[in-house]
Amino acid sequence: MAGTRIIDPSTAIVVTPFHEAHAVRGDDGRDHVEYDLLITNVFDGPVTVSSIEITNEAGKVVGHLDGSELAAATQMLLEGKVKAIPPSASVAIEIDLVLSSGPLPTRLSHRLAYHFAPADPHASMIGSREVVGPEVAIAPSAPVTLVPPLSGPGWAAMNGCCVPNVHRDVRIAAGTRIATPETFAIDWIQLKGDRFFEGDGKQNKQYPYFGSDVRAVADGEIVGLHDGMAESVPLQPPTTVHAPDDYGGNFVLLRIRPDVYAIYAHLQPGKMRVKLGDKVKAGAPIGKLGNSGNSTAPHLHFALLDRPNLLTANSLPFVLDDYELTGKLDATKTDNDRLEVMPASGKIKGAYPLVFGIATFR
């Protein structure tokens, strides 16, 4: 066998993409390419991925992930971070590839380095400590352009793309696939000064934006509606969620084009301004911002989905046509529930509101 080239060397892990990647221009002026890699450990000991190199179709390195950034992006499939992949288990690694200029790649490839305990009795059967591949295609369709779902100043984009958080990290099994329903979903909460609420925040009425008008982001048809769920009590675990549809609380699904649905979740009960089958125009009233379903404070959960299901759809990227960026939240710096607002300003056209940005909508 001397001199024979080894084809497909044995490895401890298998790497596959969940689905194609999606790119969106953020309000930072850069393109964010979002996708997840599924890493399955077929070894009998724990395995740790130590680095990921990302290349474009020409073989040029366009991204690299290691250290604390890789640790934060390596997660259990449903929730929670993990450092080493347990034997016969799978994890997800979130990729936020940020590109500053030039045309987008059409596909990406990867080189993953990993390690495991050298004393493992089966270490000798592993022929390579790296995996080359897989390729991930970037969806060719451009993000949908929308008008904002709210109006007025001080709207903070919470739990949105593109850093790890409770939206970006969501993955849900759907029979033959793993869905990523919240990659680009945003929780909109309005900031007044340096607070979201008055007093102790334990009543919905203490949130000044509770009951704000929610509007259609595009022309479309109402194809889903769930109403009648009571409001949750702020800052407490919700008690009314008993079935999949309950997670969105009172919600509306607006189909704006084939296989593109806008979801408005956690609305107030009995305040819907639409009914099933209605045709609406961009800017038309939909309902009132509330705190129903899987929610611990009033907010609007807004997203675009590729099918009419809040939990098993894949999240789609979108951009807002026109708004003003007025600040950025540093959510790590609080004092008695007061948040630090960092200066930021600029007219934004045709961009996605990145997480922690504060926007003024007309």
Side-chain angles (χ1 to χ4, degrees), residues 63-231:
H64 187 86
L65 197 64
D66 62 10
S68 60
E69 189 178 8
L70 176 58
T74 304
Q75 301 172 359
M76 302 296 286
L77 292 181
L78 182 59
E79 62 179 11
K81 295 179 177 58
V82 59
K83 182 177 181 181
I85 310 170
S88 299
S90 296
V91 302
I93 296 183
E94 293 178 359
I95 305 295
D96 170 33
L97 175 62
V98 183
L99 303 174
S100 296
S101 62
L104 284 170
T106 59
R107 64 182 188 276
L108 302 166
S109 191
H110 306 80
R111 183 183 298 271
L112 290 86
Y114 65 91
H115 61 267
F116 51 84
D120 191 286
H122 292 103
S124 60
M125 71 184 296
I126 304 301
S128 177
R129 301 308 199 265
E130 68 176 20
V131 173
V132 178
E135 287 197 346
V136 177
I138 298 179
S141 55
V144 180
T145 300
L146 308 172
V147 301
L150 297 155
S151 61
W155 288 105
M158 307 297 291
N159 302 326
C161 196
C162 292
V163 299
N165 59 68
V166 298
H167 276 182
R168 182 65 181 85
D169 302 350
V170 170
R171 290 163 289 270
I172 297 177
T176 58
R177 61 188 176 85
I178 298 175
T180 52
E182 297 188 353
T183 300
F184 300 99
I186 294 176
D187 284 341
W188 289 108
I189 302 177
Q190 195 173 35
L191 188 66
K192 297 288 187 180
D194 58 0
R195 301 196 75 192
F196 291 133
F197 54 81
E198 300 166 344
D200 60 9
K202 295 181 179 180
Q203 301 178 62
N204 286 316
K205 66 182 181 180
Q206 292 175 309
Y207 295 75
Y209 58 92
F210 180 68
S212 293
D213 289 327
V214 174
R215 60 185 185 178
V217 293
D219 297 352
E221 179 182 359
I222 305 300
V223 296
L225 193 150
H226 191 230
D227 197 2
M229 288 188 68
E231 303 282 7

Side-chain angles (χ1 to χ4, degrees), residues 270-338:
K271 299 293 180 66
M272 299 297 186
R273 302 288 298 275
V274 293
K275 61 183 184 299
L276 282 176
D278 280 356
K279 303 291 197 305
V280 300
K281 293 291 186 181
I286 293 287
K288 299 284 188 179
L289 184 151
N291 185 33
S292 58
N294 187 40
S295 177
T296 57
H299 70 282
L300 172 66
H301 175 103
F302 176 82
L304 287 191
L305 307 174
D306 69 352
R307 64 201 74 194
N309 190 305
L310 177 69
L311 297 182
T312 63
N314 290 320
S315 180
L316 297 174
F318 61 90
V319 297
L320 299 183
D321 64 347
D322 186 17
Y323 64 99
E324 184 178 359
L325 185 67
T326 58
K328 285 279 186 179
L329 281 178
D330 185 345
T332 66
K333 297 181 179 179
T334 62
D335 179 17
N336 296 324
D337 300 313
R338 297 184 184 279

